[in-house]
Amino acid sequence: MKVAWLDEIQWTEDGLVPVIAQLQDSGRVVMFAWMNRESLVLTVAEGYAVYWSRSRNRLWRKGEESGHRQKVIDMQLDCDADVILLKIEQEGGIACHTGRESCFYRSLKDGAWQATEPVLKDPKAIYK
């Protein structure tokens, strides 16, 4: 697919671009993921984040199992055109598969990574 704005992106050798998801209201970074051309086009068309899952090797509509979708409010490309920032509204208030608001919930303290954010919902209750 030939689309001018897609061609401005500096894709990795495997056709991906890193994506940061940030809460529109607070500015908190809640997730990092990857997109390919198809997932980026779908994100723009649908208004909700669609990522490329490297582990599943397929498109991944954020919230397809959990219901915790990410409504895209704004999309920005960095100065090097190699990272995308999504400003989102996080449905359900949970972005992480661990049941937390953010995937960034561990802080380095006393030489070890320690969980500093609470689990808002047990993952067993989220994923069937």
Side-chain angles (χ1 to χ4, degrees):
M1 149 182 352
K2 195 79 170 148
V3 180
W5 62 268
L6 281 172
D7 293 336
E8 291 182 42
I9 296 170
Q10 299 300 308
W11 302 93
T12 63
E13 286 183 15
D14 48 355
L16 301 174
V17 64
V19 180
I20 298 165
Q22 178 185 46
L23 297 178
Q24 169 70 19
D25 57 358
S26 69
R28 178 153 193 217
V29 172
V30 294
M31 226 179 79
F32 169 84
W34 296 91
M35 285 187 179
N36 63 9
R37 291 175 78 92
E38 182 181 7
S39 63
L40 186 52
V41 167
L42 287 169
T43 296
V44 169
E46 297 175 8
Y48 286 87
V50 179
Y51 299 108
W52 177 256
S53 173
R54 294 182 306 160
S55 60
R56 298 176 228 175
N57 200 35
R58 68 171 179 83
L59 292 174
W60 162 45
R61 283 176 167 77
K62 176 65 178 159
E64 64 191 11
E65 292 180 46
S66 66
H68 300 141
R69 299 187 317 159
Q70 294 176 339
K71 183 177 181 184
V72 177
I73 308 304
D74 190 20
M75 182 181 296
Q76 298 177 338
L77 184 63
D78 81 324
C79 59
D80 294 323
D82 62 358
V83 178
I84 292 175
L85 175 67
L86 296 182
K87 293 191 177 187
I88 61 153
E89 287 178 5
Q90 179 64 57
E91 294 182 359
I94 296 172
C96 186
H97 75 281
T98 65
R100 292 176 171 89
E101 177 186 44
S102 173
C103 294
F104 298 95
Y105 64 89
R106 294 182 282 193
S107 295
L108 186 61
K109 295 184 182 229
D110 301 320
W113 293 108
Q114 298 179 25
T116 56
E117 301 284 327
V119 172
L120 302 176
K121 190 170 186 181
D122 185 340
K124 291 177 190 151
I126 297 172
Y127 303 99
K128 310 280 185 270

